[in-house]
Amino acid sequence: MSEHPAQQPYWSDAGFETRAIHAGYEPDPSTGAVIPPIYATSTYKQDGVGGLRGGYEYSRSANPTRTALEGALAAVEGGTHGFAFASGLAAEDTLVRALCGPGQHAVIPDDAYGGTFRLFDKVEQVWGLVHSPAAVSDVDAVRAAIRPGETRLVWVETPTNPLLGIGDIEALAAVAHDAGALLVVDNTFASPYLQQPLALGADVVVHSTTKYVGGHSDVVGGALVVRDDDLADRIRFHQNAMGAVAGPFDAWLTLRGLKTLAVRMDRHCDNAERIVAHLLDHPAVEQVIYPGLPDHPGHEVAARQMKRFGGMVSFRVKGGEAAALAVCERTHVFTLGESLGGVESLIEHPGRMTHASVAGTDLEVPADLVRLSVGIESVEDLVADLDQALSAALPR
Ligand code: P1T
């Protein structure tokens, strides 16, 4: 299917916020509608057999609401081709099977979203793709994990989920490319506002748009963005052939969220910084993990490649797992739940929740770890809520 006009990179010279608000869609020529309609249609009338209007044939292949989102995603990531999927994991699976074949190998993070590990370990491995975990913060370890001639993908999350490790995207791109592999960066935690992996040499950006891009905890989605036409062709073929696409309403919600990404991210970062400063002095807290802290091992790299340090904060509670669980169960403003990146603050216990699927593997996370997705509420309320919950963890 031909490229749709909204995918053309004609917003490439505009600022980030302008691209987030305008790219992907021109006001409708017949009505002037500023926002794309939700094209709730599965098929399109053809003007004679094969006479497609605007290239639209069937909504698995393309749908105008999804096209608008895909153009906007490409524009905000500094790419030329965006693809929207039913979930982050659907995007990941489509990418892996578009680019790899049985008998090949991928290097994956030794700290990654549990579902990403499960996908590689329990699905792609059965299909014949083997993987080795390596610390994304250790360029030498990633280089050592590469199997010359077999490694097709170096897969990186930065910051990682949930330990907020930082990978040097530029250095990792060089390592991957030296070995003839592609660098894939899952940019979910940073969001395109804070980090631009393609400009740093990554070949593919992955998102769970469920998170900061959508931003309102009301839709599940995923995305891939590339600059290379051949990679785009392979992904487009597999997106259609595998069929895990974003539906029009999901695409519309995600596009609406994307427009305010920049202002939301700045507030997420402001609030996270205040909470980090508060937790550092708290007697019930063993360790605060945040890339903005000067003693975080990835701080210098993060300062170089990120605009700010993000809205995710992890901390270890004194008193072990029982204390960590007690904190998670006592907050009121922070909602106990999986996911992240929405306007409302969330708290969770990775070991028992988002990362339960990595228990007993190299990716197991500490039992005393608590993860915060810091929202954009009044920061005083967030601090007070954590204080009252942490009092449960203090030794009596
Ligand atoms: O949930 P889904 O939209 O399929 O996206 C998967 C995914 C991919 N990459 C990262 C970095 C992620 O954090 C996720 C999903 N993560 C959670 C649901 C979570 O609470 O961590």
Side-chain angles (χ1 to χ4, degrees):
M1 133 152 282
S2 65
E3 192 89 13
H4 295 281
Q7 287 271 24
Q8 300 304 320
Y10 54 91
W11 289 102
S12 54
D13 292 337
F16 182 89
E17 289 83 346
T18 309
R19 280 178 277 146
I21 292 166
H22 291 287
Y25 181 72
E26 289 290 331
D28 182 79
S30 58
T31 63
V34 169
I35 298 298
I38 300 166
Y39 280 92
T41 188
S42 59
T43 192
Y44 305 84
K45 176 177 164 53
Q46 302 195 7
D47 299 318
V49 175
L52 308 184
R53 301 185 191 178
Y56 292 102
E57 180 178 34
Y58 183 60
S59 278
R60 172 164 31 72
S61 314
N63 172 285
T65 316
R66 197 176 93 217
T67 303
L69 172 63
E70 291 179 331
L73 289 167
V76 293
E77 278 292 357
T80 51
H81 307 272
F83 301 91
F85 294 87
S87 69
L89 285 174
E92 295 183 17
D93 183 33
T94 306
L95 177 68
V96 170
R97 290 205 264 165
L99 301 187
C100 302
Q104 289 185 317
H105 172 254
V107 180
I108 64 166
D110 73 350
D111 172 34
Y113 170 54
T116 297
F117 174 73
R118 185 178 54 203
L119 177 71
F120 276 98
D121 199 52
K122 300 282 190 294
V123 180
E124 313 300 7
Q125 187 143 275
V126 173
W127 176 72
L129 180 76
V130 287
H131 60 85
S132 321
V136 302
S137 56
D138 183 344
V139 177
D140 292 332
V142 172
R143 190 185 290 109
I146 286 176
R147 300 184 186 169
E150 286 174 40
T151 302
R152 177 80 172 126
L153 298 181
V154 174
W155 188 288
V156 172
E157 274 178 23
T158 181
T160 60
N161 180 2
L163 291 168
L164 306 177
I166 299 294
D168 182 333
I169 296 173
E170 225 165 351
L172 292 165
V175 165
H177 296 160
D178 278 354
L182 297 168
L183 182 70
V184 178
V185 175
D186 183 331
N187 205 24
T188 300
F189 267 39
S191 89
Y193 178 61
L194 298 182
Q195 182 168 272
Q196 298 268 288
L198 297 176
L200 295 166
D203 300 286
V204 186
V205 168
V206 176
H207 276 286
S208 169
T209 55
T210 315
K211 314 293 163 29
Y212 289 108
V213 170
H216 295 75
S217 307
D218 53 9
V219 59
V220 170
L224 302 174
V225 181
V226 297
R227 282 182 172 172
D228 180 89
D229 291 343
D230 293 336
L231 284 181
D233 285 346
R234 291 181 78 102
I235 293 168
R236 188 176 300 108
F237 173 82
H238 283 79
Q239 184 191 38
N240 182 47
M242 294 168 70
V245 295
F249 185 48
D250 290 359
W252 188 90
L253 281 172
T254 306
L255 186 64
R256 180 166 72 159
L258 177 62
K259 289 175 193 288
T260 55
L261 177 66
V263 289
R264 286 187 284 107
M265 279 322 287
D266 273 326
R267 180 63 75 87
H268 284 296
C269 294
D270 291 345
N271 284 1
E273 286 167 14
R274 271 283 298 279
I275 285 170
V276 165
H278 190 78
L279 291 178
L280 279 174
D281 291 334
H282 203 286
V285 173
E286 181 71 40
Q287 186 193 1
V288 183
I289 305 171
Y290 186 65
L293 289 170
D295 64 354
H296 184 290
H299 178 67
E300 275 177 35
V301 174
R304 205 181 331 121
Q305 71 188 14
M306 295 175 76
K307 192 179 169 86
R308 298 183 68 181
F309 300 102
M312 299 300 295
V313 177
S314 292
F315 62 97
R316 299 179 75 166
V317 184
K318 284 185 186 153
E321 183 175 46
L325 292 172
V327 172
C328 291
E329 287 167 4
R330 295 243 331 211
T331 55
H332 304 300
V333 187
F334 280 85
T335 301
L336 175 61
E338 304 202 358
S339 201
L340 58 116
V343 292
E344 56 289 292
S345 293
L346 297 176
I347 189 166
E348 69 124 1
H349 184 266
R352 293 274 190 105
M353 296 170 63
T354 51
H355 291 69
S357 60
V358 300
T361 74
D362 289 352
L363 281 81
E364 187 163 300
V365 295
D368 58 3
L369 190 74
V370 172
R371 189 188 76 179
L372 303 178
S373 171
V374 178
I376 65 171
E377 301 96 332
S378 309
V379 72
E380 297 74 19
D381 295 332
L382 298 178
V383 168
D385 190 35
L386 286 175
D387 269 349
Q388 65 78 24
L390 278 163
S391 67
L394 283 171
R396 277 155 215 280

